[in-house]
Amino acid sequence: MDAITHSPEDSRRRELGAFLRSRRERLSPETAGIACGARRRTPGLRREEVAMIAGVGTTWYTWLEQGRDVRPSVEVLTALSEALRLDAVERRHLFILAGRQQPERRAATPEKVEGPLLHMLQSLVLQPAYVVGRRWDVLAWNPAAVAVFGDYGLLEGDARNIVHMVFASPHHRRLLVDWEELARVVLASFRAESAKYVGDPDFDRLIALMMRSSPEFRAWWPQRDVARRLSGVKHVRHPSAGAMTFEHMSLSIDDGCDMRLIVYTPLAEQNSIAKLQKLLDALPAERRSA
């Protein structure tokens, strides 16, 4: 007999049902706050118990586990995630299988760059690199970034923000050869990435500050341009090394924290590699360890 084939959509629904069933069977009644009476034949929770906790119909939930063509909403998926006590990775997996976009949650705790990322950052000896947070504040950097862009440790508060540096820092404005082109891309990319934080007080405060500080920001922000450029070439006019060219790449930190690692690779053009090495050699000892 020929093997039964399923469409990609059927396979996705079947996998969704199997995943829900596996999480249900792993969750003990005690953990879910359900008192156990007589001996239970079903490992973990029963379907009707999950349905009751999540506030959905038992028949509908049964169909979902069976891989039938039912389409849970974001609200229902959120309720099921909480009912099944899913962790962040499991919750993300559930939403992907259901073909839904998981609601973004703004981290309530201060942003922290963990040790492994810091170690990788410092290992990029001839590549200026830094880590930015959800609001594009520079959180960590390496000595090569100090050599080319300046010491971020001397900046405080909003001054250590990429948007603020591009639009309100005379030093960065002189440093960037194609300032207007780059500034427009930075602004459009920032708007696109900050959409999930509309109404956030920290973002609103930064935007209000930039509206007061930069006539270009004030003119361009209402245009509502959006862009997503993860790589490109940046031309720099360094005050002591002169013209330098870098290829840059933005890498997402895939743990839901909205951090990014920005890496600049010097190109052979304009002798940029040798110039960067000289800048690093000339750094004071205290600046060689960011």
Side-chain angles (χ1 to χ4, degrees), residues 45-67:
L45 295 184
R46 300 186 179 100
R47 285 172 174 166
E48 58 268 25
E49 291 169 338
V50 173
M52 177 190 67
I53 297 172
V56 299
T58 300
T59 300
W60 184 89
Y61 178 75
T62 300
W63 289 349
L64 193 59
E65 277 200 8
Q66 291 173 345

Side-chain angles (χ1 to χ4, degrees), residues 5 15 24 44 77 94 97 147 155 185 188 232 268 271 276 282-283:
T5 59
E15 182 60 29
R24 171 174 62 83
L77 290 171
L94 175 65
L97 290 175
L155 305 176
V185 171
N271 205 24
L276 176 57
L283 277 182

Side-chain angles (χ1 to χ4, degrees), residues 187-230:
L187 189 62
S189 299
F190 177 73
R191 180 182 281 282
E193 290 193 19
S194 64
K196 68 187 73 169
Y197 295 107
V198 170
D200 182 289
D202 287 340
F203 280 77
D204 289 347
R205 182 175 54 78
L206 175 64
I207 293 167
L209 172 62
M210 299 315 304
M211 292 288 281
R212 297 192 302 269
S213 306
S214 167
E216 292 89 356
F217 188 100
R218 192 160 52 247
W220 299 341
W221 184 253
Q223 295 174 9
R224 289 178 166 76
D225 292 334
V226 292
R228 182 173 173 80
R229 184 178 295 183
L230 301 179

